[in-house]
Amino acid sequence: MTITERGRTTIRDQAVARIVVKAAQDVEASGGLGRTIAGVTVPGRRPARTEVRVNGDIVTARVTLSVTYPMPVRTVARRVRQSVRDQVTRLTGLTVRQVDVDVAELSHPAAGERTVL
């Protein structure tokens, strides 16, 4: 069998989106979003929200997440971008062109936790 006879591997946007969510969650001080039902806040958090586009071998991603107060938002966003780039490239071999990070909320540390800067 020659190289020209081999098949193609297609990685769906949804698979890359799962990698993006996990990579963003692995960054300290980043997290999911608060939950609401009919505008009323309820306990628990949902995962970070992502939009991913795979065009050939190029990936663009948008991640919406929370940052634990009082951590520096820019620092956390930079770490999230780097984590997403590293993980997507390592696991898929795709090139990440752009990662937009939207910080939708600042969350407070869980009871009993302290945030040290």
Side-chain angles (χ1 to χ4, degrees):
M1 181 182 281
T2 65
I3 291 176
T4 58
E5 295 174 7
R6 292 184 182 171
R8 251 179 64 183
T9 301
T10 303
I11 301 172
R12 294 180 50 189
D13 294 9
Q14 184 179 12
V16 177
R18 288 181 180 164
I19 295 168
V20 170
V21 167
K22 178 68 172 122
Q25 289 176 338
D26 286 348
V27 174
E28 185 180 354
S30 73
L33 302 169
R35 295 175 36 170
T36 60
I37 296 177
V40 177
T41 302
V42 294
R45 303 196 67 71
R46 56 191 161 105
R49 193 171 51 238
T50 63
E51 297 173 32
V52 172
R53 293 215 192 316
V54 179
N55 187 3
D57 291 341
I58 304 296
V59 175
T60 57
R62 175 181 299 271
V63 183
T64 305
L65 48 74
S66 65
V67 172
T68 304
Y69 180 82
M71 297 301 290
V73 172
R74 286 185 184 187
T75 302
V76 174
R78 182 176 22 83
R79 290 179 183 155
V80 167
R81 277 188 210 94
Q82 192 60 53
S83 178
V84 168
R85 277 193 170 93
D86 293 347
Q87 292 297 335
V88 169
T89 300
R90 184 176 67 80
L91 294 173
T92 67
L94 300 173
T95 301
V96 180
R97 175 178 292 161
Q98 180 175 335
V99 179
D100 293 329
V101 177
D102 295 331
V103 177
E105 60 188 59
L106 296 175
S107 61
H108 294 283
E113 288 184 19
R114 265 185 32 174
T115 302
V116 179
L117 297 177

